[in-house]
Amino acid sequence: MKVLSAEQLSGADKETIRKQNITSEELMERAATLVFNEINQRLQGAPIPIKIFCGIGNNGGDGLVIARHLIQHGYHVTVYVVNYSDKRSEDFLANYEKLKVITNDWPHLIKEEDHFPEINTGDFVIDAMFGIGLNRPIEGWVAKLVKLINNSQAFILAVDMPSGLFSDKTPGKKAAVIEANYTLSFQSPKLVFFLPETMDYIGDLQVLDIGLDREYISKLISETFLIGKQEAVSLYIPRKKNSHKGDYGKVLIVGGSYGKIGSVLLTATAALKTGTGLCSLYIPECGYDIIQTGLPEAMLMTDTDKKMLTTYPKDFDADVVCFGMGVGTDEKSVQALKELLQANNDPVVIDADGLNILSNNKEFLKMLPKNSVLTPHPGELKRLIGAWEDDFQKLEKVKKFSKKYNVILVVKGAHTFTIDREYIYINDSGNPGMATAGSGDVLSGIITSLIGQGYEPVNAAVFGVYLHGLSGDITAEEIGYESLLAGDIARNMGKAVKALFERESMESK
Ligand SMILES: NC(=O)C1=CN([C@@H]2O[C@H](COP(=O)(O)OP(=O)(O)OC[C@H]3O[C@@H](n4cnc5c(N)ncnc54)[C@H](O)[C@@H]3O)[C@@H](O)[C@H]2O)[C@@H](O)CC1
Ligand SMILES: [K+]
């Protein structure tokens, strides 16, 4: 799904109004009615107090439409107009008049702190103060109102986006932003919904298709995509009946050191479980028995050093090489990575200490084969590209790095971002149970495996990240977050691939 900017959305808005020959008020009616339907479906007429806070722009207009439908369906509604300015939008005014026709309970005007209502724990608050039109931070008494709502413990539903969030920049740590429990957003998710600094404001997210012109949207050039099940399925390459193990990649995993052999074991298990035909490992000698016992399907070569990697098997012919998990950053192991980069022209996957070695030896970056995949967590990313001021600046820095070195970065987080030059792919699978040791080793194994099976490196990264999250979701469903182990993610890869094609799970994400 395309993640559109505020400009693109308002363009689509205008084109829809023109092509469908409707007014902007009718479009507002359509969008806000969808929000009402969602609320009605969930509340089923429950007599809980609903407090709707409307701004004076079109987000506020949505709030008024929602209020009208709720009142007409017998809900207990109180409407507040957060009157921070007198410049009410036309569609706000039209709906203000319509509301007056159906109720004697006129909206309460809030113009200062003294007008604030009481908000209680059991209230259902609808935040329709600001949407994509916010262009400066919320200040003064409106900021105080936002804090009052946040502190109330009431359930908060945000319309389009939580008030206080911008679509193209982060609001800053001290800014007044609604902390929603649920966000119902129109037509397209916004980039800020997925950034580490701002994702917590969103709560659960649902995107409503408000029927903006499909043709116009399909022609819009977007550089940012949300990857859900549908997008993931489209990347899958089916296996041919007439095939043999050589068709599914000869993978080489290089890593491990004394005390960290488990990492390569996880990577190799994940690679084989993702469908790799032939999996070989190159590890320090101390890991020999561990790997042979733990993963009899894998083949093994050992370094002459007992405890760490010192060299790279230059003559070994692999389709794809993965380097870094559990390696450490000893000078001798730096040499191993250097040899690997000198010997390889095909894309490689670099993770963990492999990334730290790159950060400590920036001259290696130019040696990375084109379209190699780097999989940093936030700490490793900082060492690689330097510190950033906010998440938007981070994205710009990563794009620049990706372009400069011709590599793909998998920036790991609650929503993992795969960045290929100017393109951003935001992953929508996964859960907090996956924040566990070895989860990243498994991800590297999955991506490496897919590259070996013939996926383009960027597709391997995007699809691999999705499958990794999906396997984590399936595992968490079975055993909960707390006891989820990285090895479980690897072992459940088969279920994840199967789930891609199951009807009911197609609908769930
Ligand atoms: N396709 C769409 O884009 C649709 C948009 N609709 C709604 O329209 C919203 C956008 O409406 P608007 O553009 O009127 O903007 P908003 O309602 O988000 O903001 C209201 C106005 O407040 C002013 N403002 C901005 N920052 C302020 C601040 N810090 N303090 C005081 N005033 C400030 C701005 O001039 C802005 O026009 C969307 O978020 C959505 O809820 C819907 O009605 C349906 C269709
Ligand atoms: K809002």
Side-chain angles (χ1 to χ4, degrees):
M1 188 191 286
K2 285 179 186 171
V3 175
L4 301 176
S5 67
E7 292 72 40
Q8 287 175 320
L9 274 170
S10 70
D13 217 5
K14 289 197 186 86
E15 182 64 7
T16 305
I17 288 167
R18 191 188 68 76
K19 258 178 115 173
Q20 298 180 3
N21 198 19
I22 55 171
T23 61
S24 60
E25 196 190 327
E26 283 168 311
L27 184 59
M28 179 180 282
E29 183 72 26
R30 189 199 285 176
T33 304
L34 289 171
V35 176
F36 159 73
N37 288 341
E38 290 297 331
I39 298 171
N40 190 30
Q41 208 177 9
R42 282 180 173 70
L43 295 187
Q44 298 279 329
I48 57 169
I50 302 178
K51 292 180 176 155
I52 311 188
F53 292 87
C54 303
I56 47 88
N58 287 343
N59 196 251
D62 292 332
L64 295 176
V65 176
I66 297 164
R68 171 160 38 84
H69 289 299
L70 286 170
I71 292 168
Q72 285 177 321
H73 281 74
Y75 284 96
H76 295 195
V77 180
T78 318
V79 184
Y80 301 93
V81 172
V82 185
N83 212 63
Y84 49 81
S85 143
D86 292 327
K87 289 188 217 138
R88 297 171 170 190
S89 76
E90 272 181 37
D91 295 337
F92 172 94
L93 285 169
N95 281 299
Y96 197 59
E97 292 307 316
K98 280 188 180 172
L99 191 63
K100 284 181 183 174
V101 176
I102 61 134
T103 175
N104 294 328
D105 262 344
W106 283 15
H108 300 257
L109 284 194
I110 304 181
K111 289 186 167 184
E112 57 185 20
E113 219 174 324
D114 285 349
H115 300 157
F116 287 1
E118 214 175 275
I119 307 172
N120 304 309
T121 314
D123 291 350
F124 186 98
V125 167
I126 298 179
D127 157 37
M129 291 186 279
F130 296 97
I132 50 173
L134 187 78
N135 50 27
R136 55 190 189 278
I138 298 179
E139 280 168 352
W141 61 265
V142 187
K144 286 187 181 158
L145 178 62
V146 166
K147 295 212 167 113
L148 179 77
I149 294 173
N150 285 342
N151 292 336
S152 69
Q153 307 286 322
F155 183 91
I156 306 172
L157 174 92
V159 179
D160 204 18
M161 54 199 290
S163 296
L165 278 187
F166 304 103
S167 57
D168 60 351
K169 57 180 180 228
T170 51
K173 287 197 174 62
K174 288 193 181 135
V177 182
I178 286 288
E179 292 158 14
N181 296 90
Y182 206 99
T183 297
L184 281 169
S185 196
F186 296 139
Q187 201 68 39
S188 158
K190 284 77 179 162
L191 178 58
V192 285
F193 294 177
F194 308 105
L195 298 171
E197 281 177 301
T198 42
M199 63 175 283
D200 289 338
Y201 293 114
I202 312 304
D204 290 328
L205 171 67
Q206 191 182 342
V207 179
L208 298 169
D209 182 348
I210 63 167
L212 295 188
D213 189 65
R214 275 184 201 285
E215 199 188 334
Y216 183 85
I217 291 182
S218 72
K219 283 186 187 151
L220 280 177
I221 296 173
S222 180
E223 290 170 352
T224 310
F225 301 87
L226 181 65
I227 305 300
K229 194 158 272 181
Q230 243 179 320
E231 290 77 13
V233 167
S234 72
L235 294 172
Y236 177 74
I237 305 176
R239 287 200 166 211
K240 291 192 201 82
K241 198 167 184 185
N242 185 8
S243 58
H244 57 87
K245 65 186 177 206
D247 294 328
Y248 299 108
K250 211 167 153 192
V251 157
L252 176 63
I253 292 156
V254 184
S257 58
Y258 183 81
K260 289 184 178 168
I261 296 300
S263 60
V264 268
L265 180 57
L266 285 167
T267 307
T269 307
L272 282 162
K273 279 288 194 182
T274 307
T276 285
L278 289 158
C279 181
S280 299
L281 292 97
Y282 186 71
I283 56 166
E285 211 191 306
C286 64
Y288 187 82
D289 290 344
I290 301 167
I291 301 290
Q292 289 290 54
T293 316
L295 193 63
E297 294 86 351
M299 291 170 288
L300 207 52
M301 294 171 281
T302 54
D303 198 286
T304 47
D305 196 287
K306 280 197 168 56
K307 293 189 169 179
M308 68 176 80
L309 284 176
T310 60
T311 55
Y312 171 75
K314 292 186 254 321
D315 299 329
F316 188 83
D317 180 27
D319 294 323
V320 56
V321 182
C322 175
F323 180 94
M325 50 290 309
V327 165
T329 50
D330 191 281
E331 261 318 301
K332 289 182 192 162
S333 305
V334 173
Q335 184 59 26
L337 178 57
K338 190 174 181 183
E339 286 179 19
L340 181 160
L341 294 174
Q342 282 166 339
N344 258 289
N345 291 320
D346 294 327
V348 294
V349 176
I350 310 271
D351 186 25
D353 284 329
L355 297 168
N356 294 330
I357 294 176
L358 286 179
S359 299
N360 294 338
N361 301 272
K362 294 260 160 58
E363 68 279 11
F364 286 9
L365 290 170
K366 289 198 192 85
M367 297 161 72
L368 285 167
K370 191 176 171 192
N371 288 328
S372 288
V373 178
L374 276 48
T375 57
H377 62 52
E380 288 157 355
L381 183 68
K382 204 165 280 180
R383 286 190 279 277
L384 210 52
I385 65 167
W388 50 83
E389 272 165 28
D390 60 49
D391 283 339
F392 280 92
Q393 198 202 30
K394 174 176 77 181
L395 289 178
E396 287 314 309
K397 288 186 95 164
V398 176
K399 283 181 185 175
K400 215 169 133 194
F401 185 96
S402 165
K403 277 184 215 161
K404 182 170 178 189
Y405 297 109
N406 273 311
V407 292
I408 296 151
L409 282 100
V410 173
V411 178
K412 293 184 284 198
H415 284 286
T416 292
F417 282 52
T418 298
I419 296 171
D420 179 18
R421 285 71 172 186
E422 66 270 31
Y423 292 99
I424 302 179
Y425 304 90
I426 305 168
N427 186 52
D428 202 23
S429 62
N431 64 75
M434 299 174 72
T436 181
S439 184
D441 303 330
V442 169
L443 177 64
S444 302
I446 295 169
I447 296 173
T448 307
S449 172
L450 293 171
I451 296 176
Q453 291 176 61
Y455 286 77
E456 287 298 322
V458 62
N459 291 347
V462 173
F463 187 42
V465 168
Y466 185 81
L467 281 178
H468 179 252
L470 183 58
S471 179
D473 288 342
I474 290 168
T475 313
E477 186 84 8
E478 288 170 359
I479 58 170
Y481 293 157
E482 282 73 14
S483 72
L484 191 156
L485 297 184
D488 299 332
I489 304 174
R491 284 183 288 273
N492 275 338
M493 278 303 290
K495 290 183 189 171
V497 176
K498 269 181 79 185
L500 276 182
F501 300 99
E502 278 163 15
R503 200 161 243 295
E504 92 216 295
S505 32
M506 282 288 287
E507 280 151 15
S508 68
K509 256 205 174 174

